[in-house]
């Protein structure tokens, strides 16, 4: 699970939890990638676990920075593994990152510019974060050969049709224009993101939109968000 915190040096505001899917293939098989899709769903963490992550990991991290003379302001990303012994930190970063950001921001209703300015000016405590109910799901469409040797220059069809669907946002990562044609220009080509009343609703919308898009050898996981709360079940057992 990925937990993002906004920090202004003294105030910490947690964002909705996300889950990235790193392996290339379904059921977490194949090589690691930069991310083949993600979900943003409050059901990923219950209140008890979220409180534990805050008090045992996020707050001590910010306190340690301050002891070292660092007044950090901005985004603190914490990548976590939920284990029987509790949450364990895999990595930190100081950016949103993709594809998590691509599913996180569509659910944020508070003006992002207002939030970022408040972080800079130490006014984060005055900002109430508002979220669109439900969940979001993002599916990455990757070039053939990714992640080792992705093919470039392949014509892409159906993006406009997919974008015309309700609650769909399409992010371009590895695309380019070749004359009047949209073509592949990298490994992870597009991310198709949908918001919905539930995770199941968001998944259905996302995969329906993915079906509109095609290019030669397109790679796509079919199980993004299919089992989002397995770690919750283990934690409660």
């Amino acid at each position: 699970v990925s937990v993002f915190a906004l920090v202004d040096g003294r105030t910490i505001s947690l964002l909705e939890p996300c889950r990235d899917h790193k392996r290339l293939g379904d059921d977490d098989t194949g090589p690691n990638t930069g991310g083949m899709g993600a979900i943003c769903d409050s059901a990923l963490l219950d209140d008890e676990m979220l409180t534990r992550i805050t008090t045992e990991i996020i707050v001590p991290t910010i306190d340690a920075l301050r002891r070292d003379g660092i007044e950090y302001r901005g985004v603190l990303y914490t990548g976590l593994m939920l284990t029987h012994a509790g949450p364990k930190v895999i990595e930190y970063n100081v950016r949103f990152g993709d594809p998590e950001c691509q599913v996180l921001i569509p659910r944020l209703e508070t003006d992002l510019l207002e939030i970022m300015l408040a972080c800079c000016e130490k006014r984060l405590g005055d900002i109430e974060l508002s979220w669109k109910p439900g969940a979001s799901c993002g599916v990455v469409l990757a070039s053939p050969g990714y992640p080792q040797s992705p093919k470039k220059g392949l014509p892409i069809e159906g993006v406009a049709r997919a974008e015309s669907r309700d609650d769909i946002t399409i992010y371009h990562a590895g695309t380019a224009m070749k004359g009047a044609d949209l073509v592949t220009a990298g490994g992870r080509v597009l991310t198709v993101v949908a918001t919905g009343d539930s995770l199941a609703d968001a998944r259905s919308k996302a995969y329906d939109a993915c079906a509109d898009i095609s290019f030669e050898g397109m790679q796509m996981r079919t199980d993004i968000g299919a089992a989002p709360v397995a770690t919750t079940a283990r934690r409660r057992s």
Side-chain angles (χ1 to χ4, degrees):
V1 66
S2 300
V3 175
F4 296 88
L6 293 169
V7 184
D8 69 359
R10 53 189 175 188
T11 300
I12 299 171
S13 292
L14 294 188
L15 307 182
E16 291 286 271
C18 300
R19 181 187 177 195
D20 191 4
H21 296 63
K22 289 291 188 185
R23 295 282 184 175
L24 180 67
D26 288 355
D27 299 319
D28 292 329
T29 58
N32 268 323
T33 72
M36 291 299 293
I39 60 172
C40 179
D41 185 6
S42 58
L44 284 168
L45 295 172
D46 57 29
D47 290 341
E48 180 182 353
M49 180 57 69
L50 198 57
T51 298
R52 185 172 179 182
I53 290 168
T54 303
T55 57
E56 295 182 9
I57 297 172
I58 305 296
V59 171
T61 299
I62 300 302
D63 286 345
L65 288 171
R66 293 183 67 176
R67 286 196 299 272
D68 285 344
I70 300 171
E71 186 183 78
Y72 180 68
R73 303 183 212 175
V75 177
L76 177 66
Y77 158 78
T78 309
L80 301 168
M81 186 74 73
L82 303 183
T83 75
H84 290 292
K88 304 296 182 181
V89 176
I90 301 172
E91 62 174 328
Y92 288 110
N93 216 318
V94 289
R95 60 184 177 88
F96 281 112
D98 68 317
E100 293 103 325
C101 185
Q102 297 168 339
V103 294
L104 183 70
I105 297 303
R107 291 197 54 218
L108 180 63
E109 293 185 327
T110 308
D111 190 304
L112 182 61
L113 178 59
E114 180 183 359
I115 298 169
M116 295 293 99
L117 184 60
C119 281
C120 294
E121 298 178 345
K122 296 186 179 182
R123 297 184 293 101
L124 189 57
D126 298 331
I127 303 295
E128 182 177 352
L129 300 185
S130 178
W131 298 92
K132 182 184 295 185
S136 56
C137 177
V139 181
V140 170
L141 307 181
S143 289
Y146 176 75
Q148 290 88 358
S149 301
K151 292 187 178 180
K152 301 180 181 180
L154 303 173
I156 305 168
E157 298 181 352
V159 173
R161 183 166 60 250
E163 284 184 314
S164 69
R165 292 177 175 269
D166 292 338
D167 303 320
I168 295 294
T169 303
I170 297 180
Y171 296 93
H172 291 243
T175 65
M177 297 301 298
K178 187 176 182 180
D181 297 326
L182 184 68
V183 299
T184 63
R188 290 184 293 164
V189 178
L190 301 162
T191 306
V192 179
V193 176
T195 56
D197 295 332
S198 64
L199 180 57
D201 183 34
R203 289 190 72 243
S204 177
K205 290 177 182 178
Y207 279 107
D208 284 348
C210 287
D212 290 332
I213 301 172
S214 63
F215 53 87
E216 181 185 338
M218 184 175 79
Q219 298 190 85
M220 174 186 73
R221 282 186 61 160
T222 64
D223 63 346
I224 302 300
V229 295
T231 48
T232 303
R234 288 200 300 271
R235 185 171 67 247
R236 288 172 174 169
S237 63

